[in-house]
């Protein structure tokens, strides 16, 4: 018996020789995902202010895990819900 990798057919990589370095680079760039929760890409104090307003812009707020200054030690769901509730209160108070 001969082992074979299956399920590698990607339209994005059809022009690459299957199994070549170019193929694997294409495959990884088009199929790789993270099992981790992305966060901290727009940390509070650096990119947004204390009211979640995007610095340098008017009337734009960022309300997602990207504003968290540190990655939560568990799934970020509860922290994101809390952040969204606080943002909603801040927005409503300005109306």
């Amino acid at each position: 018996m001969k082992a074979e990798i299956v399920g590698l057919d990607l339209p994005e990589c059809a022009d690459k020789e299957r199994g070549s370095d170019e193929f694997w680079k294409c495959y990884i760039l088009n199929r790789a995902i993270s099992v981790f929760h992305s966060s901290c890409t727009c940390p509070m104090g650096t990119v947004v202010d204390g009211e979640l307003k995007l610095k340098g812009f008017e009337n734009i707020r960022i309300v997602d895990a990207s504003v968290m200054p540190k990655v939560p030690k568990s799934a970020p769901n509860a922290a994101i819900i809390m952040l969204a509730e606080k943002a909603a209160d801040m927005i409503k108070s300005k109306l």
Side-chain angles (χ1 to χ4, degrees), residues 8-10 16 22 25 30 32-34 36 43 47-48 52 66 68 72 75-76 80 87 92:
L8 297 179
D9 299 324
L10 296 177
K16 312 286 189 259
E22 285 185 8
K25 181 177 179 180
N30 286 283
I33 62 169
S34 172
F36 299 104
V47 180
V48 297
L52 303 172
S66 69
M68 295 179 182
I80 294 168
K92 288 189 287 187

Side-chain angles (χ1 to χ4, degrees), residues 69-85:
K70 293 183 180 176
V71 179
K73 294 188 186 292
S74 62
N77 303 35
I80 294 168
I81 292 169
M82 180 183 69
L83 185 66
E85 290 288 337

Side-chain angles (χ1 to χ4, degrees), residues 24-81:
W24 287 116
K25 181 177 179 180
C26 179
Y27 187 86
I28 290 167
L29 289 172
N30 286 283
R31 288 291 188 240
I33 62 169
S34 172
V35 295
F36 299 104
H37 301 279
S38 299
S39 63
C40 310
T41 57
C42 298
M44 207 176 296
T46 305
V47 180
V48 297
D49 65 17
E51 293 187 347
L52 303 172
K53 292 180 181 176
L54 184 60
K55 290 183 176 182
F57 293 86
E58 292 183 32
N59 301 319
I60 297 177
R61 294 180 196 251
I62 299 177
V63 185
D64 62 16
S66 69
V67 301
M68 295 179 182
K70 293 183 180 176
V71 179
K73 294 188 186 292
S74 62
N77 303 35
I80 294 168
I81 292 169

